Amino acid sequence: MAGLRCLSDPAVVALDTGEFIVKEDLEYEYNGGIKGISFSVIVPSGFITDFASVPWYGKLFIDRTGPWNKAAALHDWLYTSRGLSRTISDALFLEAMTIHGVSKIRRHVMYLAVHLGGGKTYRKAYDNYAKDYPGFLAKFKKD
């Protein structure tokens, strides 16, 4: 079957900082669609996410947590690790929200928010994460 599948259901624990830590690998598999390419993405155990980063003006419409939590963790990891382009990362976020049952209107609003407003975050995510959690990303650095 073509498309994105979530292969795991890891525990996620809230931290005192308001962030969340993925306690086990969160694994996705993508088959087809993009020129028949297949690949896996693993959000590694120990990754810290804030789920959906919602600006103050969006909090009336979108909560920080919800059925999009795994999709948001995936998106945060893709932005942080820079394993895929921003365009593909955003498209996978949209598809992940679909498979996790986020309503069509909500997932498209969230997708448009990251796609239109996430450029600065994408450019700075790796450096910010490396500063806040030294050593973690070094384990995944590509030579």
Side-chain angles (χ1 to χ4, degrees):
M1 174 172 39
L4 187 69
R5 292 186 319 141
C6 184
L7 304 177
S8 61
D9 189 19
V12 177
V13 176
L15 302 172
D16 293 339
T17 61
E19 297 169 308
F20 302 84
I21 186 167
V22 179
K23 298 300 280 183
E24 303 157 27
D25 290 350
L26 170 58
E27 186 172 1
Y28 284 89
E29 179 181 80
Y30 186 86
N31 291 307
I34 304 171
K35 298 182 181 181
I37 296 170
S38 296
F39 56 88
S40 293
V41 176
I42 297 174
V43 179
S45 174
F47 181 66
I48 295 174
T49 177
D50 64 358
F51 288 140
S53 304
V54 181
W56 65 268
Y57 53 83
K59 291 183 181 188
L60 293 172
F61 309 104
I62 305 291
D63 292 326
R64 191 166 164 199
T65 62
W68 49 84
N69 288 354
K70 289 181 198 164
L74 169 67
H75 191 253
D76 283 356
W77 173 248
L78 292 171
Y79 267 39
T80 300
S81 67
R82 296 228 189 115
L84 297 169
S85 73
R86 183 171 164 239
T87 299
I88 292 174
S89 297
D90 292 350
L92 289 174
F93 177 54
L94 178 61
E95 192 160 345
M97 286 190 291
T98 302
I99 66 171
H100 292 302
V102 178
S103 73
K104 186 174 184 175
I105 291 173
R106 185 166 296 199
R107 70 179 178 253
H108 280 88
V109 166
M110 293 176 76
Y111 166 78
L112 285 172
V114 299
H115 194 65
L116 296 175
K120 183 177 177 182
T121 301
Y122 182 79
R123 287 188 301 277
K124 294 185 174 195
Y126 182 93
D127 292 336
N128 289 343
Y129 199 91
K131 181 183 72 168
D132 292 343
Y133 307 102
F136 185 79
L137 292 173
K139 298 184 280 187
F140 307 98
K141 188 174 183 179
K142 297 175 183 163
D143 294 327

